Amino acid sequence: VMEFPAIRYKKAKIQNEFADNLVYSQKQYYDLTVIEKNPEKPLTGLISKFPGIQWVAGFIKDNLYHEQFTLYY
């Protein structure tokens, strides 16, 4: 049973930067979904201020507020 607020995440991709045919830099990307019962969305407000985060979409399903983000570092 999932309790709320909740954060669901999955790895989306790894982006490599190359120099001399070697990886010299790598970015990890994750898809996050923040799920809350509260329409004021306090957890969403906190997550949205993280460095390397980008808001993608928001929707309501089953009386729960979902906000989707992409996080990279």
Side-chain angles (χ1 to χ4, degrees):
V1 175
M2 187 179 279
E3 295 184 20
F4 303 100
I7 299 173
R8 295 182 63 199
Y9 67 94
K10 68 175 184 150
K11 185 171 268 190
K13 70 178 180 177
I14 299 172
Q15 181 178 349
N16 292 328
E17 298 289 329
F18 295 91
D20 294 328
N21 292 325
L22 300 172
V23 175
Y24 78 91
S25 174
Q26 197 173 62
K27 284 187 181 176
Q28 309 280 332
Y29 288 81
Y30 291 86
D31 292 331
L32 303 180
T33 302
V34 179
I35 308 168
E36 300 186 81
K37 289 182 179 181
N38 183 346
E40 298 297 319
K41 302 183 247 177
L43 184 58
T44 295
L46 178 67
I47 298 288
S48 67
K49 295 176 185 171
F50 286 4
I53 196 119
Q54 182 177 8
W55 182 83
V56 177
F59 61 94
I60 300 170
K61 182 179 177 183
D62 299 327
N63 287 330
L64 295 170
Y65 297 87
H66 297 67
E67 299 291 337
Q68 297 175 314
F69 297 91
T70 299
L71 171 68
Y72 69 92
Y73 69 94

